[in-house]
Amino acid sequence: MSASTLLDEPASTHDDDPLARERSHLAASRSALRAMREDAEALDISDVTANWVNAAVLQRQIEERVRALADLSDTPLFFGRLDYLHAPGADGAEGARGEQFYIGRRHVHDADGDPMVIDWRAPVSQPFYRASRKDPLDVGLRRRFGYTGGDLTAYEDEHLSGPAAVTLSGSAGGATTSKLLQQEIERPRVGPMRDIVATIQPEQDEIVRSGLSGSVCVQGGPGTGKTAVGLHRVAYLLYAHRERLARTGTLVVGPNRSFLHYIEQVLPALGELTVAQATVDDLVAHVEVRGEDEAAAAVVKGDARMAEVLRRALYSHVAMPTEPVVVVRGSRRWRVPAYELEELVRQLLDRDMRYGAAREALPQRIAHAVLVQMERAGEAPDDRVQDAVARNAAVKAAVKTLWPAVEPAKLVLRLLSDPGFLAEHAEGLLDEREQKTILWAKPARSVKSATWSSADAVLIDEAADLVRRTHSLGHVVLDEAQDLSPMQYRAVGRRCTTGSATVLGDLAQGTTPWATRSWEEALLHLGKPDAVIEELTAGFRVPTDVITYASRLLPHIAPGLTPVASIRENPGFFEVRPSEGTDDVVAACRELLGNEGSVGLIAADARVPELARALTAAGITYVAPGEETTPTTRLTLVPASLAKGLEYDYVLLDEPRAVVDAEPDERTGLRRLYVTLTRAVSGLVMTHRTPLPAQLT
């Protein structure tokens, strides 16, 4: 038998028909999964909970378990099989019999508890992704399955041990490329992003299974699967460290709501339902954002130097005492002199505590000084006396003067409204021009009336953390990270100070004025300087001709990056068409909609309204990014600013020159163009009336 054999057969009931046996195992596995779900639904907790709180928690856990056991009809229950040469753990002992394991998205067992499908994250499943003829990992045969809808219709065998490979069925020259793998990668994409659990490659699997204790940064060009790798790493960590992450929590941070909507089905399809998703704006939503900064102001506000400006401004509220504190208890008066109060304040400052925690500690420190005097006078005060002294009116008044409460939003409001206050605390950090850039032209009177921007909200979040420590999660995935400012990195980083992070991005796709210059610098701002940086260069999504054309821009936008090398067998198609106007764009949309799969019409933001009117007049229905497509509405009209992270089977890119010109500078514009050029899975058509950017020709 050849090293890899692709078989696509009609249904059969013969015992010697492998496809019929695999279909039988699929049917039995679905029945077993249904029984597991029914068992979970039938659980009676009426007699096992002590109170209604426990009952509610347990009921919610059962409901989540039932949801996780859902059998999705269009999602294969298993996608592969491993035939081991020896029983796992037998260390090759003579006479140890090998076993077969079906690899799928979740664990399924029969009524006796014997596994029928093994979770792809289990250690025994790892060779499905890593084994090769060079290192078979004790696997004799790896079988992949092909599905049409939910029906198993084909399988492909790869013999990893034994005689050397001869041919792949249907090809020549000893090729070892999996046809089913190629078919799955190139399958049309309609609707939200799907998981890649059946097609994970060895270099991707290495990142997915990296440990919880370490942080990882993945640099990956378009179509290298970095987003999928990050999501699958979350799923793996939840499997390997479920109890710990159940306590500490996990979070996926994306660039915008459209992107989060696009990826939101990946983790549920893998049985993980508890991972929160948010944008950076969601994380720092302390105030209502109603305004937008000019680029120059946003750059300064996003600079890491602002963290020190805020720290100085906050701690400037701490005052040194000029008078003693006198505490009256009964007939006795206890006096804490000013020099002793100053020593207590300086001790708290030296400890580098959060501002709010130190403020709460100060009355106890003063009370302790009083108790020391009481003990010297022969009294025997206890903790209740100390608490009473800490609540004494004189002590509270002193604390209010020495260490007053500060509201983070009011602190930022004053910095942006009061030139003198800003100049005092930005001295040596921001020059006069930078200070003038971020000062509001019309100072707001109150927090509620202020027109806050997204960058302002990040500053408030930084100030809030200086006052009170931000809660840390167990693991955070940060996608499209190249577009974050240093202050935004800090905002995400404080959500995982005691946890780890997976950072995903592509330096060539940075389109903000503050885009990341290097991952080392970004990881420093994130608070994860020791994170391992990995690079993915094999392209699975973008066709060869398209990525080769788009890579013409790399020397101009990211000279040091390795171009993506597409490994797809199908080169796709790519065409540049001169256009006379919107009629030609509409005609091209009709043409692409004649193919199977999704279509994205991407254009400069300013051109979207005109194109929308033209599509409507032509009777072509479309949706906006983040809205659900349907079999009859497969066209998405995408502003170029929202294209990042999205993918479509076919892309029609309108007026590349307009995409470039819409950005504040040419370098940023070319990066935006690189993003829009690399959203296609099967083909790209580019229409233009104005000349193409010189960097493409």
Side-chain angles (χ1 to χ4, degrees):
M1 174 146 327
S2 64
S4 185
T5 305
L6 180 63
L7 298 173
D8 196 339
E9 306 174 10
S12 171
T13 58
H14 295 115
D15 292 339
D16 61 349
D17 182 353
L19 191 59
R21 289 199 301 272
E22 301 296 15
R23 286 170 171 162
S24 177
H25 186 79
L26 175 61
S29 299
R30 288 196 183 281
S31 296
L33 179 61
R34 186 164 54 251
M36 291 170 61
R37 181 183 174 93
E38 290 170 352
D39 288 344
E41 291 173 331
L43 286 173
D44 184 1
I45 62 172
S46 57
D47 296 328
V48 297
T49 55
N51 54 57
W52 70 269
V53 176
N54 291 341
V57 171
L58 187 55
Q59 184 61 43
R60 187 179 72 250
Q61 292 173 343
I62 291 173
E63 290 171 356
E64 290 178 356
R65 172 67 173 163
V66 170
R67 287 169 57 203
L69 291 172
D71 185 4
L72 307 177
S73 59
D74 59 344
T75 302
L77 196 54
F78 56 79
F79 47 81
R81 194 184 89 188
L82 290 177
D83 290 8
Y84 276 89
L85 296 175
H86 306 89
D91 297 324
E94 187 176 350
R97 188 173 64 85
E99 295 185 61
Q100 288 183 352
F101 295 97
Y102 288 83
I103 313 302
R105 288 167 172 77
R106 67 202 67 193
H107 175 86
V108 180
H109 60 256
D110 61 18
D112 296 325
D114 295 326
M116 301 190 70
V117 180
I118 300 293
D119 195 302
W120 66 275
R121 298 166 288 187
V124 75
S125 302
Q126 185 171 328
F128 184 79
Y129 303 106
R130 305 264 187 110
S132 63
R133 287 195 61 83
K134 185 177 180 181
D135 184 12
L137 301 176
D138 200 42
V139 173
L141 177 131
R142 171 168 51 206
R143 174 170 288 181
R144 299 180 189 274
F145 296 105
Y147 289 82
T148 302
D151 297 327
L152 198 161
T153 54
Y155 70 88
E156 180 185 64
D157 286 345
E158 185 179 0
H159 294 266
L160 301 176
S161 302
V166 180
T167 64
L168 171 67
S169 178
S171 67
T176 57
T177 302
S178 164
K179 288 188 175 296
L180 286 180
L181 197 62
Q182 285 290 337
Q183 290 172 9
E184 175 63 20
I185 290 172
E186 297 174 10
R187 182 159 57 93
R189 287 153 163 77
V190 177
M193 179 182 179
R194 58 177 183 256
D195 67 73
I196 63 164
V197 68
T199 61
I200 294 174
Q201 299 299 291
E203 64 273 17
Q204 296 174 325
D205 189 63
E206 212 168 306
I207 298 171
V208 167
R209 295 178 192 265
S210 54
L212 177 61
S213 59
S215 294
V216 179
C217 175
V218 182
Q219 158 63 40
T224 55
K226 57 185 177 294
T227 295
V229 165
L231 295 174
H232 285 67
R233 187 179 182 215
V234 171
Y236 171 77
L237 292 175
L238 285 167
Y239 175 88
H241 307 278
R242 189 167 301 280
E243 187 175 335
R244 177 176 171 183
L245 290 178
R247 295 194 310 268
T248 56
T250 51
L251 172 68
V252 174
V253 181
N256 52 58
R257 279 280 140 208
S258 297
F259 177 84
L260 292 177
H261 181 73
Y262 176 63
I263 68 170
E264 67 183 359
Q265 296 303 319
V266 174
L267 288 169
L270 299 174
E272 300 301 341
L273 308 170
T274 61
V275 180
Q277 296 184 350
T279 65
V280 174
D281 287 345
D282 294 332
L283 298 181
V284 301
H286 303 282
V287 293
E288 182 183 357
V289 173
R290 296 180 296 176
E292 186 173 345
D293 287 311
E294 293 185 359
V299 168
V300 177
K301 290 178 181 180
D303 194 290
R305 293 172 294 168
M306 289 300 300
E308 177 59 19
V309 174
L310 287 165
R311 193 197 67 78
R312 290 181 184 178
L314 175 63
Y315 281 91
S316 70
H317 292 80
V318 177
M320 292 302 162
T322 57
E323 298 178 354
V325 170
V326 179
V327 176
V328 179
R329 283 185 60 81
S331 60
R332 302 294 299 270
R333 295 164 60 89
W334 307 98
R335 183 175 179 275
V336 182
Y339 74 85
E340 191 171 345
L341 292 173
E342 180 176 342
E343 184 179 351
L344 295 177
V345 170
R346 293 193 182 280
Q347 287 175 355
L348 289 172
L349 288 172
D350 292 342
R351 288 192 61 184
D352 196 28
M353 299 171 64
R354 290 295 195 277
Y355 185 93
R359 186 176 188 276
E360 292 172 356
L362 183 56
Q364 290 290 336
R365 296 289 185 98
I366 297 173
H368 178 73
V370 172
L371 260 66
V372 169
Q373 294 183 30
M374 290 181 176
E375 290 171 347
R376 288 173 180 169
E379 296 189 16
D382 56 18
D383 291 345
R384 289 175 298 178
V385 175
Q386 179 168 331
D387 290 340
V389 173
R391 296 193 299 270
N392 183 274
V395 174
K396 291 167 71 174
V399 170
K400 186 175 181 180
T401 300
L402 302 177
W403 210 294
V406 177
E407 185 180 328
K410 288 184 177 179
L411 178 71
V412 175
L413 178 70
R414 186 179 176 190
L415 273 174
L416 300 179
S417 303
D418 185 340
F421 189 66
L422 176 62
E424 178 185 355
H425 302 299
E427 184 179 359
L429 295 172
L430 305 180
D431 59 33
E432 290 186 12
R433 179 186 58 81
E434 290 172 318
Q435 293 176 34
K436 186 177 180 180
T437 298
I438 64 174
L439 279 168
W440 286 341
K442 295 181 179 180
R445 295 182 179 180
S446 67
V447 169
K448 288 187 177 181
S449 65
T451 305
W452 298 105
S453 68
S454 294
D456 298 334
V458 176
L459 296 179
I460 295 171
D461 190 71
E462 178 82 27
D465 185 71
L466 289 168
V467 174
R468 188 79 56 190
R469 185 182 300 276
T470 304
H471 173 69
S472 175
L473 300 166
H475 191 77
V476 171
V477 174
L478 176 59
D479 206 352
E480 300 295 350
Q482 73 279 345
D483 281 330
L484 267 61
S485 70
M487 291 298 286
Q488 288 176 316
Y489 276 116
R490 290 175 62 89
V492 176
R494 51 181 161 264
R495 267 79 186 177
C496 56
T497 50
T498 59
S500 55
T502 300
V503 180
L504 312 166
D506 179 12
L507 297 179
Q509 296 186 57
T511 52
T512 55
W514 49 83
T516 301
R517 291 172 293 188
S518 76
W519 289 122
E520 289 81 5
E521 180 183 343
L523 292 168
L524 190 64
H525 295 311
L526 190 71
K528 306 295 180 186
D530 298 327
V532 176
I533 301 176
E534 303 281 0
E535 186 172 12
L536 296 175
T537 58
F540 304 96
R541 173 171 57 79
V542 186
T544 302
D545 291 351
V546 176
I547 195 65
T548 300
Y549 184 78
S551 294
R552 295 182 182 184
L553 297 174
L554 283 180
H556 308 282
I557 60 177
L561 290 186
T562 304
V564 173
S566 178
I567 66 169
R568 294 165 56 110
E569 290 184 348
N570 181 356
F573 74 86
F574 169 60
E575 186 179 348
V576 179
R577 298 180 183 177
S579 166
E580 295 300 323
T582 55
D583 288 346
D584 290 340
V585 176
V586 171
C589 283
R590 288 192 189 279
E591 178 185 332
L592 292 177
L593 286 169
N595 300 306
E596 181 186 4
S598 58
V599 178
L601 169 56
I602 304 178
D605 292 29
R607 284 189 50 78
V608 168
E610 179 184 352
L611 293 173
R613 290 191 294 270
L615 291 171
T616 301
I620 299 178
T621 57
Y622 63 90
V623 295
E627 296 179 358
E628 292 287 353
T629 56
T630 67
T632 56
T633 306
R634 294 181 289 115
L635 174 66
T636 304
L637 178 55
V638 188
S641 62
L642 295 181
K644 195 171 298 179
L646 306 179
E647 61 182 31
Y648 304 93
D649 285 293
Y650 300 93
V651 166
L652 175 59
L653 176 58
D654 169 70
E655 291 296 350
R657 182 77 254 175
V659 172
V660 176
D661 291 344
E663 301 297 330
D665 59 82
E666 186 176 62
R667 182 185 176 92
T668 303
L670 291 174
R671 287 184 168 187
R672 182 76 71 189
L673 179 59
Y674 181 72
V675 171
T676 59
L677 282 169
T678 54
R679 300 303 96 201
V681 175
S682 297
L684 170 68
V685 174
M686 199 162 63
T687 58
H688 69 101
R689 292 185 68 179
T690 55
L692 295 176
Q695 294 82 354
L696 286 179
T697 59

